[in-house]
PDB file of all heavy atoms in Angstrom:
ATOM      1  N   LEU Q   1       0.825  -1.205   0.000  1.00  0.00           N
ATOM      2  CA  LEU Q   1       0.000   0.000   0.000  1.00  0.00           C
ATOM      3  C   LEU Q   1       0.862   1.259   0.000  1.00  0.00           C
ATOM      4  O   LEU Q   1       0.564   2.234  -0.697  1.00  0.00           O
ATOM      5  CB  LEU Q   1      -0.941   0.006   1.208  1.00  0.00           C
ATOM      6  CG  LEU Q   1      -2.296  -0.664   1.008  1.00  0.00           C
ATOM      7  CD1 LEU Q   1      -2.959  -0.930   2.340  1.00  0.00           C
ATOM      8  CD2 LEU Q   1      -3.203   0.169   0.110  1.00  0.00           C
ATOM      9  N   ILE Q   2       1.924   1.248   0.799  1.00  0.00           N
ATOM     10  CA  ILE Q   2       2.840   2.393   0.826  1.00  0.00           C
ATOM     11  C   ILE Q   2       3.481   2.574  -0.537  1.00  0.00           C
ATOM     12  O   ILE Q   2       3.560   3.695  -1.069  1.00  0.00           O
ATOM     13  CB  ILE Q   2       3.898   2.198   1.926  1.00  0.00           C
ATOM     14  CG1 ILE Q   2       3.233   2.237   3.310  1.00  0.00           C
ATOM     15  CG2 ILE Q   2       5.007   3.243   1.821  1.00  0.00           C
ATOM     16  CD1 ILE Q   2       4.168   1.929   4.457  1.00  0.00           C
ATOM     17  N   TYR Q   3       3.927   1.468  -1.122  1.00  0.00           N
ATOM     18  CA  TYR Q   3       4.521   1.513  -2.459  1.00  0.00           C
ATOM     19  C   TYR Q   3       3.507   2.033  -3.480  1.00  0.00           C
ATOM     20  O   TYR Q   3       3.824   2.885  -4.319  1.00  0.00           O
ATOM     21  CB  TYR Q   3       4.988   0.110  -2.843  1.00  0.00           C
ATOM     22  CG  TYR Q   3       5.524  -0.015  -4.241  1.00  0.00           C
ATOM     23  CD1 TYR Q   3       6.834   0.342  -4.534  1.00  0.00           C
ATOM     24  CD2 TYR Q   3       4.715  -0.496  -5.272  1.00  0.00           C
ATOM     25  CE1 TYR Q   3       7.335   0.219  -5.832  1.00  0.00           C
ATOM     26  CE2 TYR Q   3       5.206  -0.623  -6.570  1.00  0.00           C
ATOM     27  CZ  TYR Q   3       6.511  -0.254  -6.839  1.00  0.00           C
ATOM     28  OH  TYR Q   3       6.990  -0.367  -8.113  1.00  0.00           O
ATOM     29  N   ALA Q   4       2.272   1.539  -3.395  1.00  0.00           N
ATOM     30  CA  ALA Q   4       1.244   1.915  -4.371  1.00  0.00           C
ATOM     31  C   ALA Q   4       0.876   3.392  -4.263  1.00  0.00           C
ATOM     32  O   ALA Q   4       0.667   4.064  -5.283  1.00  0.00           O
ATOM     33  CB  ALA Q   4       0.014   1.043  -4.180  1.00  0.00           C
ATOM     34  N   PHE Q   5       0.776   3.914  -3.054  1.00  0.00           N
ATOM     35  CA  PHE Q   5       0.465   5.325  -2.882  1.00  0.00           C
ATOM     36  C   PHE Q   5       1.555   6.196  -3.505  1.00  0.00           C
ATOM     37  O   PHE Q   5       1.268   7.220  -4.118  1.00  0.00           O
ATOM     38  CB  PHE Q   5       0.294   5.658  -1.398  1.00  0.00           C
ATOM     39  CG  PHE Q   5      -1.131   5.567  -0.919  1.00  0.00           C
ATOM     40  CD1 PHE Q   5      -1.764   4.340  -0.833  1.00  0.00           C
ATOM     41  CD2 PHE Q   5      -1.832   6.705  -0.566  1.00  0.00           C
ATOM     42  CE1 PHE Q   5      -3.081   4.243  -0.391  1.00  0.00           C
ATOM     43  CE2 PHE Q   5      -3.149   6.627  -0.129  1.00  0.00           C
ATOM     44  CZ  PHE Q   5      -3.780   5.389  -0.042  1.00  0.00           C
ATOM     45  N   ALA Q   6       2.801   5.777  -3.344  1.00  0.00           N
ATOM     46  CA  ALA Q   6       3.906   6.529  -3.940  1.00  0.00           C
ATOM     47  C   ALA Q   6       3.883   6.430  -5.460  1.00  0.00           C
ATOM     48  O   ALA Q   6       4.034   7.426  -6.169  1.00  0.00           O
ATOM     49  CB  ALA Q   6       5.234   6.025  -3.383  1.00  0.00           C
ATOM     50  N   GLN Q   7       3.679   5.219  -5.977  1.00  0.00           N
ATOM     51  CA  GLN Q   7       3.712   4.999  -7.422  1.00  0.00           C
ATOM     52  C   GLN Q   7       2.550   5.681  -8.139  1.00  0.00           C
ATOM     53  O   GLN Q   7       2.702   6.188  -9.247  1.00  0.00           O
ATOM     54  CB  GLN Q   7       3.668   3.497  -7.718  1.00  0.00           C
ATOM     55  CG  GLN Q   7       4.964   2.773  -7.424  1.00  0.00           C
ATOM     56  CD  GLN Q   7       6.102   3.255  -8.306  1.00  0.00           C
ATOM     57  OE1 GLN Q   7       6.954   4.014  -7.856  1.00  0.00           O
ATOM     58  NE2 GLN Q   7       6.113   2.839  -9.552  1.00  0.00           N
ATOM     59  N   ALA Q   8       1.381   5.683  -7.522  1.00  0.00           N
ATOM     60  CA  ALA Q   8       0.181   6.216  -8.181  1.00  0.00           C
ATOM     61  C   ALA Q   8       0.073   7.730  -8.087  1.00  0.00           C
ATOM     62  O   ALA Q   8      -0.853   8.318  -8.644  1.00  0.00           O
ATOM     63  CB  ALA Q   8      -1.064   5.566  -7.581  1.00  0.00           C
ATOM     64  N   GLY Q   9       0.987   8.368  -7.363  1.00  0.00           N
ATOM     65  CA  GLY Q   9       0.895   9.817  -7.205  1.00  0.00           C
ATOM     66  C   GLY Q   9      -0.199  10.223  -6.245  1.00  0.00           C
ATOM     67  O   GLY Q   9      -0.799  11.302  -6.379  1.00  0.00           O
ATOM     68  N   ALA Q  10      -0.473   9.378  -5.257  1.00  0.00           N
ATOM     69  CA  ALA Q  10      -1.549   9.638  -4.298  1.00  0.00           C
ATOM     70  C   ALA Q  10      -1.047  10.396  -3.077  1.00  0.00           C
ATOM     71  O   ALA Q  10      -1.737  10.446  -2.053  1.00  0.00           O
ATOM     72  CB  ALA Q  10      -2.178   8.318  -3.864  1.00  0.00           C
ATOM     73  N   VAL Q  11       0.149  10.969  -3.163  1.00  0.00           N
ATOM     74  CA  VAL Q  11       0.753  11.677  -2.033  1.00  0.00           C
ATOM     75  C   VAL Q  11       1.130  13.094  -2.462  1.00  0.00           C
ATOM     76  O   VAL Q  11       1.830  13.270  -3.454  1.00  0.00           O
ATOM     77  CB  VAL Q  11       2.017  10.952  -1.524  1.00  0.00           C
ATOM     78  CG1 VAL Q  11       2.599  11.686  -0.326  1.00  0.00           C
ATOM     79  CG2 VAL Q  11       1.705   9.504  -1.175  1.00  0.00           C
ATOM     80  N   GLN Q  12       0.665  14.077  -1.714  1.00  0.00           N
ATOM     81  CA  GLN Q  12       1.159  15.445  -1.921  1.00  0.00           C
ATOM     82  C   GLN Q  12       1.740  15.944  -0.606  1.00  0.00           C
ATOM     83  O   GLN Q  12       2.872  15.636  -0.286  1.00  0.00           O
ATOM     84  CB  GLN Q  12       0.054  16.349  -2.472  1.00  0.00           C
ATOM     85  CG  GLN Q  12      -0.192  16.105  -3.954  1.00  0.00           C
ATOM     86  CD  GLN Q  12      -1.017  17.185  -4.599  1.00  0.00           C
ATOM     87  OE1 GLN Q  12      -1.013  18.333  -4.199  1.00  0.00           O
ATOM     88  NE2 GLN Q  12      -1.753  16.815  -5.628  1.00  0.00           N
ATOM     89  N   CYS Q  13       0.962  16.665   0.207  1.00  0.00           N
ATOM     90  CA  CYS Q  13       1.545  17.127   1.475  1.00  0.00           C
ATOM     91  C   CYS Q  13       1.849  15.948   2.383  1.00  0.00           C
ATOM     92  O   CYS Q  13       2.776  15.990   3.176  1.00  0.00           O
ATOM     93  CB  CYS Q  13       0.628  18.139   2.160  1.00  0.00           C
ATOM     94  SG  CYS Q  13      -0.694  17.428   3.170  1.00  0.00           S
ATOM     95  N   GLY Q  14       1.062  14.871   2.299  1.00  0.00           N
ATOM     96  CA  GLY Q  14       1.353  13.647   3.037  1.00  0.00           C
ATOM     97  C   GLY Q  14       0.788  13.578   4.438  1.00  0.00           C
ATOM     98  O   GLY Q  14       0.910  12.541   5.098  1.00  0.00           O
ATOM     99  N   PHE Q  15       0.151  14.642   4.927  1.00  0.00           N
ATOM    100  CA  PHE Q  15      -0.321  14.624   6.309  1.00  0.00           C
ATOM    101  C   PHE Q  15      -1.448  13.615   6.508  1.00  0.00           C
ATOM    102  O   PHE Q  15      -1.501  12.915   7.525  1.00  0.00           O
ATOM    103  CB  PHE Q  15      -0.780  16.023   6.728  1.00  0.00           C
ATOM    104  CG  PHE Q  15      -1.029  16.151   8.198  1.00  0.00           C
ATOM    105  CD1 PHE Q  15       0.013  16.406   9.075  1.00  0.00           C
ATOM    106  CD2 PHE Q  15      -2.297  16.011   8.716  1.00  0.00           C
ATOM    107  CE1 PHE Q  15      -0.209  16.501  10.436  1.00  0.00           C
ATOM    108  CE2 PHE Q  15      -2.536  16.118  10.081  1.00  0.00           C
ATOM    109  CZ  PHE Q  15      -1.490  16.371  10.943  1.00  0.00           C
ATOM    110  N   CYS Q  16      -2.340  13.524   5.533  1.00  0.00           N
ATOM    111  CA  CYS Q  16      -3.478  12.608   5.665  1.00  0.00           C
ATOM    112  C   CYS Q  16      -3.132  11.186   5.249  1.00  0.00           C
ATOM    113  O   CYS Q  16      -3.885  10.251   5.542  1.00  0.00           O
ATOM    114  CB  CYS Q  16      -4.646  13.106   4.823  1.00  0.00           C
ATOM    115  SG  CYS Q  16      -4.361  12.944   3.022  1.00  0.00           S
ATOM    116  N   THR Q  17      -2.016  11.000   4.536  1.00  0.00           N
ATOM    117  CA  THR Q  17      -1.733   9.730   3.872  1.00  0.00           C
ATOM    118  C   THR Q  17      -1.673   8.521   4.801  1.00  0.00           C
ATOM    119  O   THR Q  17      -2.253   7.477   4.489  1.00  0.00           O
ATOM    120  CB  THR Q  17      -0.433   9.840   3.049  1.00  0.00           C
ATOM    121  OG1 THR Q  17      -0.515  10.993   2.203  1.00  0.00           O
ATOM    122  CG2 THR Q  17      -0.223   8.604   2.199  1.00  0.00           C
ATOM    123  N   PRO Q  18      -0.988   8.587   5.970  1.00  0.00           N
ATOM    124  CA  PRO Q  18      -0.979   7.408   6.835  1.00  0.00           C
ATOM    125  C   PRO Q  18      -2.379   6.937   7.241  1.00  0.00           C
ATOM    126  O   PRO Q  18      -2.632   5.727   7.320  1.00  0.00           O
ATOM    127  CB  PRO Q  18      -0.171   7.877   8.049  1.00  0.00           C
ATOM    128  CG  PRO Q  18       0.736   8.930   7.513  1.00  0.00           C
ATOM    129  CD  PRO Q  18      -0.085   9.649   6.482  1.00  0.00           C
ATOM    130  N   GLY Q  19      -3.276   7.874   7.458  1.00  0.00           N
ATOM    131  CA  GLY Q  19      -4.650   7.500   7.801  1.00  0.00           C
ATOM    132  C   GLY Q  19      -5.339   6.778   6.668  1.00  0.00           C
ATOM    133  O   GLY Q  19      -6.055   5.783   6.878  1.00  0.00           O
ATOM    134  N   PHE Q  20      -5.128   7.257   5.431  1.00  0.00           N
ATOM    135  CA  PHE Q  20      -5.704   6.583   4.269  1.00  0.00           C
ATOM    136  C   PHE Q  20      -5.119   5.185   4.111  1.00  0.00           C
ATOM    137  O   PHE Q  20      -5.835   4.224   3.802  1.00  0.00           O
ATOM    138  CB  PHE Q  20      -5.432   7.398   3.004  1.00  0.00           C
ATOM    139  CG  PHE Q  20      -6.466   8.446   2.714  1.00  0.00           C
ATOM    140  CD1 PHE Q  20      -6.268   9.756   3.110  1.00  0.00           C
ATOM    141  CD2 PHE Q  20      -7.639   8.125   2.053  1.00  0.00           C
ATOM    142  CE1 PHE Q  20      -7.222  10.726   2.842  1.00  0.00           C
ATOM    143  CE2 PHE Q  20      -8.593   9.085   1.777  1.00  0.00           C
ATOM    144  CZ  PHE Q  20      -8.394  10.393   2.172  1.00  0.00           C
ATOM    145  N   VAL Q  21      -3.799   5.063   4.288  1.00  0.00           N
ATOM    146  CA  VAL Q  21      -3.144   3.767   4.137  1.00  0.00           C
ATOM    147  C   VAL Q  21      -3.705   2.758   5.144  1.00  0.00           C
ATOM    148  O   VAL Q  21      -3.988   1.599   4.793  1.00  0.00           O
ATOM    149  CB  VAL Q  21      -1.619   3.912   4.304  1.00  0.00           C
ATOM    150  CG1 VAL Q  21      -0.953   2.534   4.400  1.00  0.00           C
ATOM    151  CG2 VAL Q  21      -1.025   4.695   3.143  1.00  0.00           C
ATOM    152  N   MET Q  22      -3.900   3.182   6.386  1.00  0.00           N
ATOM    153  CA  MET Q  22      -4.409   2.256   7.405  1.00  0.00           C
ATOM    154  C   MET Q  22      -5.865   1.875   7.144  1.00  0.00           C
ATOM    155  O   MET Q  22      -6.266   0.721   7.356  1.00  0.00           O
ATOM    156  CB  MET Q  22      -4.255   2.870   8.791  1.00  0.00           C
ATOM    157  CG  MET Q  22      -2.806   3.096   9.213  1.00  0.00           C
ATOM    158  SD  MET Q  22      -1.761   1.629   9.034  1.00  0.00           S
ATOM    159  CE  MET Q  22      -2.453   0.562  10.309  1.00  0.00           C
ATOM    160  N   ALA Q  23      -6.679   2.826   6.678  1.00  0.00           N
ATOM    161  CA  ALA Q  23      -8.065   2.502   6.338  1.00  0.00           C
ATOM    162  C   ALA Q  23      -8.105   1.500   5.187  1.00  0.00           C
ATOM    163  O   ALA Q  23      -8.908   0.554   5.182  1.00  0.00           O
ATOM    164  CB  ALA Q  23      -8.824   3.775   5.974  1.00  0.00           C
ATOM    165  N   ALA Q  24      -7.209   1.697   4.204  1.00  0.00           N
ATOM    166  CA  ALA Q  24      -7.137   0.784   3.069  1.00  0.00           C
ATOM    167  C   ALA Q  24      -6.606  -0.585   3.482  1.00  0.00           C
ATOM    168  O   ALA Q  24      -7.056  -1.618   2.962  1.00  0.00           O
ATOM    169  CB  ALA Q  24      -6.246   1.376   1.982  1.00  0.00           C
ATOM    170  N   LYS Q  25      -5.665  -0.595   4.429  1.00  0.00           N
ATOM    171  CA  LYS Q  25      -5.109  -1.875   4.907  1.00  0.00           C
ATOM    172  C   LYS Q  25      -6.200  -2.728   5.554  1.00  0.00           C
ATOM    173  O   LYS Q  25      -6.300  -3.941   5.298  1.00  0.00           O
ATOM    174  CB  LYS Q  25      -3.999  -1.590   5.919  1.00  0.00           C
ATOM    175  CG  LYS Q  25      -3.445  -2.832   6.647  1.00  0.00           C
ATOM    176  CD  LYS Q  25      -2.662  -3.728   5.710  1.00  0.00           C
ATOM    177  CE  LYS Q  25      -1.739  -4.691   6.449  1.00  0.00           C
ATOM    178  NZ  LYS Q  25      -2.393  -5.528   7.459  1.00  0.00           N
ATOM    179  N   ALA Q  26      -7.025  -2.120   6.390  1.00  0.00           N
ATOM    180  CA  ALA Q  26      -8.117  -2.857   7.026  1.00  0.00           C
ATOM    181  C   ALA Q  26      -9.080  -3.403   5.977  1.00  0.00           C
ATOM    182  O   ALA Q  26      -9.588  -4.530   6.100  1.00  0.00           O
ATOM    183  CB  ALA Q  26      -8.847  -1.951   8.017  1.00  0.00           C
ATOM    184  N   LEU Q  27      -9.318  -2.622   4.922  1.00  0.00           N
ATOM    185  CA  LEU Q  27     -10.218  -3.066   3.850  1.00  0.00           C
ATOM    186  C   LEU Q  27      -9.634  -4.253   3.100  1.00  0.00           C
ATOM    187  O   LEU Q  27     -10.318  -5.277   2.912  1.00  0.00           O
ATOM    188  CB  LEU Q  27     -10.472  -1.906   2.881  1.00  0.00           C
ATOM    189  CG  LEU Q  27     -11.205  -2.261   1.585  1.00  0.00           C
ATOM    190  CD1 LEU Q  27     -12.615  -2.743   1.887  1.00  0.00           C
ATOM    191  CD2 LEU Q  27     -11.229  -1.076   0.637  1.00  0.00           C
ATOM    192  N   LEU Q  28      -8.375  -4.141   2.661  1.00  0.00           N
ATOM    193  CA  LEU Q  28      -7.770  -5.220   1.875  1.00  0.00           C
ATOM    194  C   LEU Q  28      -7.580  -6.489   2.688  1.00  0.00           C
ATOM    195  O   LEU Q  28      -7.580  -7.595   2.118  1.00  0.00           O
ATOM    196  CB  LEU Q  28      -6.426  -4.763   1.297  1.00  0.00           C
ATOM    197  CG  LEU Q  28      -6.474  -3.646   0.244  1.00  0.00           C
ATOM    198  CD1 LEU Q  28      -5.081  -3.372  -0.298  1.00  0.00           C
ATOM    199  CD2 LEU Q  28      -7.432  -3.983  -0.879  1.00  0.00           C
ATOM    200  N   ASP Q  29      -7.418  -6.369   3.994  1.00  0.00           N
ATOM    201  CA  ASP Q  29      -7.271  -7.561   4.831  1.00  0.00           C
ATOM    202  C   ASP Q  29      -8.552  -8.394   4.852  1.00  0.00           C
ATOM    203  O   ASP Q  29      -8.503  -9.622   4.945  1.00  0.00           O
ATOM    204  CB  ASP Q  29      -6.890  -7.167   6.261  1.00  0.00           C
ATOM    205  CG  ASP Q  29      -5.427  -6.782   6.375  1.00  0.00           C
ATOM    206  OD1 ASP Q  29      -4.666  -7.025   5.417  1.00  0.00           O
ATOM    207  OD2 ASP Q  29      -5.042  -6.223   7.424  1.00  0.00           O
ATOM    208  N   ARG Q  30      -9.699  -7.708   4.772  1.00  0.00           N
ATOM    209  CA  ARG Q  30     -10.964  -8.460   4.797  1.00  0.00           C
ATOM    210  C   ARG Q  30     -11.534  -8.691   3.398  1.00  0.00           C
ATOM    211  O   ARG Q  30     -12.371  -9.561   3.197  1.00  0.00           O
ATOM    212  CB  ARG Q  30     -11.994  -7.761   5.675  1.00  0.00           C
ATOM    213  CG  ARG Q  30     -12.475  -6.409   5.162  1.00  0.00           C
ATOM    214  CD  ARG Q  30     -13.591  -5.852   6.045  1.00  0.00           C
ATOM    215  NE  ARG Q  30     -14.114  -4.594   5.543  1.00  0.00           N
ATOM    216  CZ  ARG Q  30     -13.654  -3.401   5.856  1.00  0.00           C
ATOM    217  NH1 ARG Q  30     -12.635  -3.308   6.712  1.00  0.00           N
ATOM    218  NH2 ARG Q  30     -14.181  -2.305   5.352  1.00  0.00           N
ATOM    219  N   ASP Q  31     -11.099  -7.880   2.430  1.00  0.00           N
ATOM    220  CA  ASP Q  31     -11.584  -8.012   1.051  1.00  0.00           C
ATOM    221  C   ASP Q  31     -10.435  -7.693   0.106  1.00  0.00           C
ATOM    222  O   ASP Q  31     -10.218  -6.539  -0.253  1.00  0.00           O
ATOM    223  CB  ASP Q  31     -12.752  -7.054   0.813  1.00  0.00           C
ATOM    224  CG  ASP Q  31     -13.352  -7.207  -0.578  1.00  0.00           C
ATOM    225  OD1 ASP Q  31     -12.861  -8.051  -1.363  1.00  0.00           O
ATOM    226  OD2 ASP Q  31     -14.322  -6.479  -0.890  1.00  0.00           O
ATOM    227  N   PRO Q  32      -9.676  -8.710  -0.312  1.00  0.00           N
ATOM    228  CA  PRO Q  32      -8.474  -8.467  -1.125  1.00  0.00           C
ATOM    229  C   PRO Q  32      -8.751  -7.816  -2.478  1.00  0.00           C
ATOM    230  O   PRO Q  32      -7.851  -7.227  -3.070  1.00  0.00           O
ATOM    231  CB  PRO Q  32      -7.878  -9.871  -1.307  1.00  0.00           C
ATOM    232  CG  PRO Q  32      -8.457 -10.682  -0.196  1.00  0.00           C
ATOM    233  CD  PRO Q  32      -9.825 -10.130   0.029  1.00  0.00           C
ATOM    234  N   ASN Q  33      -9.973  -7.927  -2.971  1.00  0.00           N
ATOM    235  CA  ASN Q  33     -10.298  -7.361  -4.291  1.00  0.00           C
ATOM    236  C   ASN Q  33     -11.592  -6.541  -4.205  1.00  0.00           C
ATOM    237  O   ASN Q  33     -12.614  -6.899  -4.796  1.00  0.00           O
ATOM    238  CB  ASN Q  33     -10.440  -8.479  -5.324  1.00  0.00           C
ATOM    239  CG  ASN Q  33     -10.611  -7.946  -6.736  1.00  0.00           C
ATOM    240  OD1 ASN Q  33     -10.124  -6.869  -7.071  1.00  0.00           O
ATOM    241  ND2 ASN Q  33     -11.323  -8.694  -7.573  1.00  0.00           N
ATOM    242  N   PRO Q  34     -11.558  -5.430  -3.497  1.00  0.00           N
ATOM    243  CA  PRO Q  34     -12.787  -4.658  -3.296  1.00  0.00           C
ATOM    244  C   PRO Q  34     -13.190  -3.873  -4.537  1.00  0.00           C
ATOM    245  O   PRO Q  34     -12.342  -3.443  -5.325  1.00  0.00           O
ATOM    246  CB  PRO Q  34     -12.400  -3.700  -2.158  1.00  0.00           C
ATOM    247  CG  PRO Q  34     -10.930  -3.480  -2.352  1.00  0.00           C
ATOM    248  CD  PRO Q  34     -10.396  -4.800  -2.849  1.00  0.00           C
ATOM    249  N   GLY Q  35     -14.485  -3.678  -4.707  1.00  0.00           N
ATOM    250  CA  GLY Q  35     -14.980  -2.850  -5.793  1.00  0.00           C
ATOM    251  C   GLY Q  35     -14.891  -1.379  -5.428  1.00  0.00           C
ATOM    252  O   GLY Q  35     -14.575  -1.008  -4.294  1.00  0.00           O
ATOM    253  N   GLU Q  36     -15.194  -0.517  -6.392  1.00  0.00           N
ATOM    254  CA  GLU Q  36     -15.064   0.925  -6.184  1.00  0.00           C
ATOM    255  C   GLU Q  36     -15.939   1.417  -5.040  1.00  0.00           C
ATOM    256  O   GLU Q  36     -15.510   2.242  -4.229  1.00  0.00           O
ATOM    257  CB  GLU Q  36     -15.432   1.658  -7.480  1.00  0.00           C
ATOM    258  CG  GLU Q  36     -15.250   3.158  -7.390  1.00  0.00           C
ATOM    259  CD  GLU Q  36     -15.496   3.841  -8.724  1.00  0.00           C
ATOM    260  OE1 GLU Q  36     -15.033   3.326  -9.751  1.00  0.00           O
ATOM    261  OE2 GLU Q  36     -16.166   4.894  -8.729  1.00  0.00           O
ATOM    262  N   GLU Q  37     -17.169   0.926  -4.958  1.00  0.00           N
ATOM    263  CA  GLU Q  37     -18.073   1.379  -3.901  1.00  0.00           C
ATOM    264  C   GLU Q  37     -17.571   0.950  -2.530  1.00  0.00           C
ATOM    265  O   GLU Q  37     -17.717   1.690  -1.548  1.00  0.00           O
ATOM    266  CB  GLU Q  37     -19.493   0.860  -4.139  1.00  0.00           C
ATOM    267  CG  GLU Q  37     -20.184   1.494  -5.330  1.00  0.00           C
ATOM    268  CD  GLU Q  37     -20.210   3.006  -5.230  1.00  0.00           C
ATOM    269  OE1 GLU Q  37     -20.564   3.531  -4.141  1.00  0.00           O
ATOM    270  OE2 GLU Q  37     -19.869   3.682  -6.228  1.00  0.00           O
ATOM    271  N   ALA Q  38     -16.991  -0.245  -2.443  1.00  0.00           N
ATOM    272  CA  ALA Q  38     -16.451  -0.721  -1.169  1.00  0.00           C
ATOM    273  C   ALA Q  38     -15.281   0.143  -0.717  1.00  0.00           C
ATOM    274  O   ALA Q  38     -15.125   0.451   0.466  1.00  0.00           O
ATOM    275  CB  ALA Q  38     -16.024  -2.183  -1.291  1.00  0.00           C
ATOM    276  N   VAL Q  39     -14.444   0.567  -1.684  1.00  0.00           N
ATOM    277  CA  VAL Q  39     -13.309   1.432  -1.359  1.00  0.00           C
ATOM    278  C   VAL Q  39     -13.813   2.783  -0.864  1.00  0.00           C
ATOM    279  O   VAL Q  39     -13.332   3.321   0.137  1.00  0.00           O
ATOM    280  CB  VAL Q  39     -12.390   1.611  -2.578  1.00  0.00           C
ATOM    281  CG1 VAL Q  39     -11.291   2.625  -2.267  1.00  0.00           C
ATOM    282  CG2 VAL Q  39     -11.775   0.277  -2.982  1.00  0.00           C
TER     283      VAL Q  39
END
């Protein structure tokens, strides 16, 4: 997830990014292939 955020250009100021990464981590742990609405 950290690698993907960097590669996709999903980081600018970076202050909110750790929170997004952790929310996404919890999602992928329970649903490895979530749809757009689930995300």
Side-chain angles (χ1 to χ4, degrees):
L1 271 164
I2 294 175
Y3 175 82
F5 267 69
Q7 286 296 103
V11 182
Q12 283 194 29
C13 84
F15 191 84
C16 70
T17 309
F20 272 96
V21 170
M22 296 309 292
K25 172 69 161 55
L27 170 64
L28 293 184
D29 283 349
R30 66 175 183 270
D31 183 0
N33 187 29
E36 183 175 317
E37 291 305 313
V39 174

